[in-house]
């Protein structure tokens, strides 16, 4: 459970120490639940059993809300990255075609409007300039975003680099495939929604 929370916080960009965060919301949840349970006991004259049940229900609710917040935050980040990924790949492809090295092309493809993706690209670019292996730096990016599309794209780029293929063409084709796949998914969603409305 602790490891799962660590992963969620990594994907959600929680900057504070993960163990401290877990400890805080566990203790804070217990404290708030105890206050609510005590208030209900005093105001309604409840017995110990009912007070304990209110405490437990409140505690579970608070912990579930924190977990849900982390899940939604990580999912939102992943969806945003997937949306801007094709544009970033196209820019990187054009930079390589213009004669830039892979690490430079990667850094130049980071734009402020790319949000979380820009942050991860800049971080990877700096690590590469500091001497880190390009493939390792790229694969490390996948640990920060909970997205199968992003992970598969990065792995495809790494495999392309290892096989010595034309990286610029590979990036361009990958960007086009992601855009095509997204359009297909949108069409499927629209059709499913139409059938659901019709059936209803």
């Amino acid at each position: 459970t602790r490891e799962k929370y660590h992963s969620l916080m990594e994907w959600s960009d929680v900057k504070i120490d993960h163990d401290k965060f877990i400890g805080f919301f566990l203790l804070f949840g217990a404290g708030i639940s105890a206050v609510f349970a005590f208030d209900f006991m005093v105001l309604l004259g409840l017995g110990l059993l009912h007070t304990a049940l209110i405490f437990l229900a409140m505690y579970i609710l608070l912990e579930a809300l924190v977990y849900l917040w982390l899940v939604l935050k990580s999912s939102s980040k992943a969806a945003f990255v997937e949306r801007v990924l094709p544009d970033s790949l196209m820019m990187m492809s054009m930079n390589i075609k213009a004669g830039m090295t892979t690490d430079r092309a990667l850094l130049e493809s980071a734009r402020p409007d790319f949000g979380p993706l820009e942050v991860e690209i800049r971080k990877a670019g700096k690590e590469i300039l500091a001497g880190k292996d390009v493939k390792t730096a790229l694969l490390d990016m996948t640990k920060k975003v909970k997205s199968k599309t992003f992970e598969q794209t990065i792995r495809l780029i790494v495999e392309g680099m290892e096989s010595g293929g034309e990286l610029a063409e590979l990036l361009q084709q990958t960007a086009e495939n992601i855009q095509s796949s997204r359009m297909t998914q949108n069409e499927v969603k629209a059709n499913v929604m139409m059938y659901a409305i019709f059936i209803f």
Side-chain angles (χ1 to χ4, degrees):
T1 304
R2 185 162 160 265
E3 285 174 7
K4 190 171 184 179
Y5 270 104
H6 280 196
S7 297
L8 274 172
M9 284 182 274
E10 197 72 52
W11 296 328
S12 304
D13 286 335
V14 175
K15 302 297 181 187
I16 61 174
D17 182 82
H18 294 169
D19 286 330
K20 286 181 180 177
F21 181 84
I22 294 169
F24 172 77
F25 78 74
L26 286 174
L27 291 173
F28 182 76
I32 293 292
S33 302
V35 169
F36 268 87
F38 180 76
D39 286 345
F40 274 103
M41 184 180 73
V42 172
L43 292 172
L44 303 177
L46 300 175
L48 285 176
L49 178 63
H50 289 96
T51 305
L53 287 173
I54 289 172
F55 169 81
L56 188 62
M58 192 69 190
Y59 186 68
I60 291 169
L61 177 64
L62 287 172
E63 300 310 312
L65 285 173
V66 173
Y67 181 79
L68 183 64
W69 173 72
L70 287 171
V71 168
L72 291 174
K73 204 168 185 301
S74 62
S75 298
S76 173
K77 178 184 174 182
F80 186 88
V81 167
E82 287 178 4
R83 193 165 65 249
V84 299
L85 184 58
D87 295 333
S88 177
L89 293 175
M90 290 294 276
M91 284 188 68
M92 192 175 170
S93 173
M94 287 188 289
N95 290 338
I96 290 172
K97 285 179 180 177
M100 291 184 189
T101 57
T102 305
D103 53 345
R104 192 68 201 166
L106 179 70
L107 266 174
E108 291 297 325
S109 67
R111 283 169 38 187
D113 51 321
F114 288 168
L117 182 59
E118 185 224 359
V119 174
E120 297 306 328
I121 289 173
R122 289 203 180 280
K123 196 183 294 179
K126 286 174 183 176
E127 287 174 350
I128 292 166
L129 290 173
K132 195 172 188 177
D133 183 56
V134 178
K135 297 160 196 171
T136 308
L138 289 174
L139 288 171
D140 284 347
M141 288 170 62
T142 62
K143 297 173 184 176
K144 306 287 185 178
V145 182
K146 188 188 178 184
S147 166
K148 282 287 179 188
T149 303
F150 183 64
E151 185 179 347
Q152 288 168 356
T153 302
I154 296 298
R155 290 194 181 278
L156 186 66
I157 293 168
V158 169
E159 285 171 15
M161 289 168 66
E162 286 177 343
S163 62
E166 187 62 43
L167 190 57
E169 289 299 323
L170 177 65
L171 290 168
Q172 188 173 339
Q173 287 175 11
T174 305
E176 289 170 0
N177 289 342
I178 292 171
Q179 287 173 334
S180 175
S181 175
R182 190 189 302 153
M183 286 175 66
T184 305
Q185 286 175 357
N186 289 338
E187 286 175 14
V188 169
K189 284 178 184 176
N191 287 335
V192 169
M193 181 66 71
M194 184 180 70
Y195 292 141
I197 292 169
F198 176 73
I199 291 166
F200 180 75

